[in-house]
Amino acid sequence: MLRVAPLIALALALLTSSTHGERLPNVVIVHTDDQGYADTGAYGATGFQTPNLDQLAAEGIRFTSAYAVANACSPSRAALLTGCYPVRVGLPDVLGPSQRNNGRAVGLHPNEVTVAELLKPLGYATACVGKWHLGDIPDFLPLNQGFDAYFGLPYSNDMWPNHPTSKDFPPLPLMEGNKVIETNPDMNQLTTRYTEYAVSFITEHKDRPFFLYLAHSMPHVPLGVSDKFRGKSAQGLYGDVIMEIDWSVGEIMRTLREAGLEQSTMVIFTSDNGPWISYGNHAGSAGPLREAKGTTWEGGHRVPCIVRWPGRIPANQVCDKMIANFDFYPTIAEATGAVLPTDRIIDGKSLWPLLEGRPGAGTPHEYFYFYGRDELQAVRKGPWKLHLPHSYRTLEVPAGTDGLPAPYVQRDTPLALYNLTEDIAEKHNQAAGSRFVVEELQAAAETFKAAMALEARPAGLHESPVAAADEPVPSGG
């Protein structure tokens, strides 16, 4: 009689080893929400300390020209997890609760291949912890997108009945798997609860390769912080929140170290877009960058980005080459030996020449395209960034305070060209004296728009009445 269990164990051991007989690497992505470019110590933060993130940067590589592919929540997450521009996968805009949209559910199409689905054939254990925001019914939730485990919120934490300006949101569900285990959870405990779940996942799966996607709800409003960090920063509640996120990173690193996994784990830290500045003292800082979340100026897209993997990524590197969050998709594939899809376009490019500090390594992108929802608004090549004529939101009154936002006004920008090497704040329009650069970038934009119109794939869509996960729609929802 065949001894099935030993055969299965042998097959799993072979599956989770590289061609050199080494264990396949673990991958941890820590993804924050609305954390600005200048909101960690390594990027110039003031008023609070981030020792764990600063250590992560000192032990790896820190990018100073890293972009979130989108300037808002859902599309940025779609880019990170699929390696594509959000408009390519049909998700250029922020999603709301299905219950608020008369049951019309939109989400990441189940045919898209996420990072988790890339890694599953290699034997990886996979977990999504925190904010998902790519669809809130089972077909669109993490368990149907390659994740073995899910614990968190299906969308933004402000999409609940306590929203300061819109009271018609349904109760906010905290989920484990596809089940709602709690509604309107205590915001002060979210970072701690996510961290505890993530630490448990690492501990339980330390003997096999794993992929952990830890997507913090913070520092998106409404801000919440536990008593461990309340009142600890000189910047108030926002600083306290960032200090607790830094603690969370420290807990992840401590757990990896105690499990003997530091040398076999690639850790990526980044944010989904720039700060939500209308919330004033409850918002972060883009530092020297112009504008913030919701715009295609640098403050909306340029984010902190740190990668650490001892033995593979040299320590204490600072890289000014242009990269984007969708580049981690092929980068992780190359690190693990995962097979990229060949039946679709993937926009991201592997970052390994930059991560390893290879001589002469440059940006993997000749052009990078900035979308405001489904409108192509800017394009960058090298130091040059061309803004196509478009309208954008800005503040002309003092920012809001203590959780109440200030209103935006709309402004228009004409065709404008900036040299980001000389003018990171996008103040000096050089379009008039740089005709050939303008013409090249305009042509690139038109070519890309035309191609995308033909190549874009649909989002997932359910037109019939649905509820979040397996719960009934609350009365009045």
Side-chain angles (χ1 to χ4, degrees):
M1 179 182 292
L2 288 175
R3 300 179 64 193
V4 177
L7 290 175
I8 292 174
L10 176 61
L12 184 61
L14 292 173
L15 188 63
T16 59
S17 298
S18 71
T19 55
H20 303 292
E22 302 169 345
R23 169 180 164 144
L24 289 171
N26 312 304
V27 179
V28 175
I29 299 178
V30 180
H31 198 219
T32 57
D33 196 331
D34 291 359
Q35 185 170 359
Y37 180 77
D39 284 341
T40 72
Y43 288 83
T46 58
F48 54 87
Q49 295 76 43
T50 57
N52 294 298
L53 286 168
D54 297 348
Q55 183 176 352
L56 201 71
E59 294 173 349
I61 185 169
R62 175 170 65 90
F63 289 95
T64 60
S65 192
Y67 289 124
V69 176
N71 56 35
C73 305
S74 301
S76 184
R77 289 153 208 278
L80 176 68
L81 291 178
T82 68
C84 296
Y85 282 102
V87 69
R88 188 180 298 284
V89 296
L91 291 177
D93 209 347
V94 174
L95 302 178
S98 300
Q99 298 173 17
R100 196 179 187 228
N101 300 322
N102 297 318
R104 185 178 185 271
V106 180
L108 183 66
H109 200 292
N111 289 344
E112 295 297 339
V113 179
T114 67
V115 176
E117 288 170 308
L118 281 183
L119 298 178
K120 286 299 293 179
L122 301 179
Y124 276 74
T126 56
C128 173
V129 182
K131 176 178 173 178
W132 176 241
H133 215 173
L134 293 172
D136 65 349
I137 66 167
D139 280 358
F140 304 146
L141 285 169
L143 297 193
N144 202 45
Q145 301 285 3
F147 290 96
D148 300 322
Y150 170 50
F151 174 73
L153 305 181
Y155 34 78
S156 292
N157 59 323
D158 68 334
M159 295 178 176
W160 69 333
N162 298 327
H163 193 285
T165 63
S166 179
K167 301 296 186 183
D168 62 338
F169 285 106
L172 178 66
L174 177 67
M175 304 184 69
E176 186 165 9
N178 283 343
K179 292 189 177 296
V180 176
I181 61 172
E182 193 176 324
T183 57
N184 299 331
D186 183 355
M187 297 293 165
N188 295 322
Q189 300 305 317
L190 281 183
T191 298
T192 294
R193 294 177 74 176
Y194 292 168
T195 304
E196 290 172 348
Y197 193 98
V199 164
S200 295
F201 174 79
I202 293 172
T203 302
E204 292 170 9
H205 297 90
K206 63 184 179 181
D207 295 325
R208 62 182 287 197
F210 58 80
F211 169 49
L212 169 63
Y213 173 48
L214 173 54
H216 282 292
S217 292
M218 302 296 158
H220 193 291
V221 292
L223 298 180
V225 68
S226 72
D227 290 341
K228 297 188 297 297
F229 289 93
R230 184 173 296 277
K232 298 296 186 183
S233 84
Q235 191 176 314
L237 182 57
Y238 186 86
D240 298 346
V241 167
I242 298 297
M243 289 179 69
E244 186 159 37
I245 289 172
D246 181 77
W247 163 83
S248 175
V249 171
E251 289 296 289
I252 297 299
M253 300 310 298
R254 177 187 60 79
T255 305
L256 293 173
R257 183 170 59 253
E258 292 176 354
L261 298 176
E262 280 192 295
Q263 301 293 318
S264 59
T265 303
M266 180 181 185
V267 178
I268 300 163
F269 174 86
T270 193
S271 175
D272 66 342
N273 46 247
W276 201 350
I277 57 172
S278 68
Y279 278 88
N281 66 337
H282 281 201
S285 170
L289 309 178
R290 182 171 175 177
E291 295 297 341
K293 173 181 179 175
T295 77
T296 48
W297 303 99
E298 289 293 285
H301 284 261
R302 195 182 294 214
V303 291
C305 181
I306 300 167
V307 189
R308 177 192 186 272
W309 185 359
R312 284 295 308 272
I313 298 174
N316 205 30
Q317 295 186 82
V318 179
C319 180
D320 65 356
K321 301 299 187 293
M322 178 177 64
I323 69 162
N325 67 353
F326 60 15
D327 293 326
F328 289 117
Y329 187 89
T331 301
I332 292 168
E334 184 173 343
T336 60
V339 178
L340 289 172
T342 58
D343 62 343
R344 66 197 67 199
I345 294 172
I346 302 296
D347 296 298
K349 307 294 182 185
S350 176
L351 298 175
W352 278 108
L354 292 174
L355 293 175
E356 293 180 332
R358 298 176 197 171
T363 174
H365 301 283
E366 182 177 13
Y367 301 102
F368 181 77
Y369 302 94
F370 299 79
Y371 275 85
R373 296 181 174 174
D374 58 358
E375 179 187 24
L376 180 55
Q377 295 183 349
V379 57
R380 177 177 170 181
K381 178 182 181 181
W384 294 106
K385 181 178 177 184
L386 180 71
H387 280 268
L388 306 171
H390 68 272
S391 62
Y392 63 97
R393 70 188 195 185
T394 190
L395 291 177
E396 288 192 349
V397 297
T401 58
D402 300 335
L404 294 175
Y408 287 108
V409 296
Q410 292 295 118
R411 290 290 176 261
D412 296 323
T413 181
L415 191 73
L417 180 71
Y418 301 95
N419 185 318
L420 297 178
T421 300
E422 303 170 353
D423 179 23
I424 196 173
E426 297 174 285
K427 291 182 178 179
H428 307 294
N429 184 357
Q430 300 188 37
S434 306
R435 179 168 63 90
F436 294 114
V437 176
V438 170
E439 289 176 353
E440 179 189 354
L441 294 180
Q442 281 181 308
E446 290 303 315
T447 299
F448 191 77
K449 278 197 298 185
M452 190 63 75
L454 299 174
E455 298 163 357
R457 307 191 288 268
L461 178 64
H462 278 267
E463 292 285 4
S464 59
V466 292
D470 58 359
E471 296 295 303
V473 177
S475 60

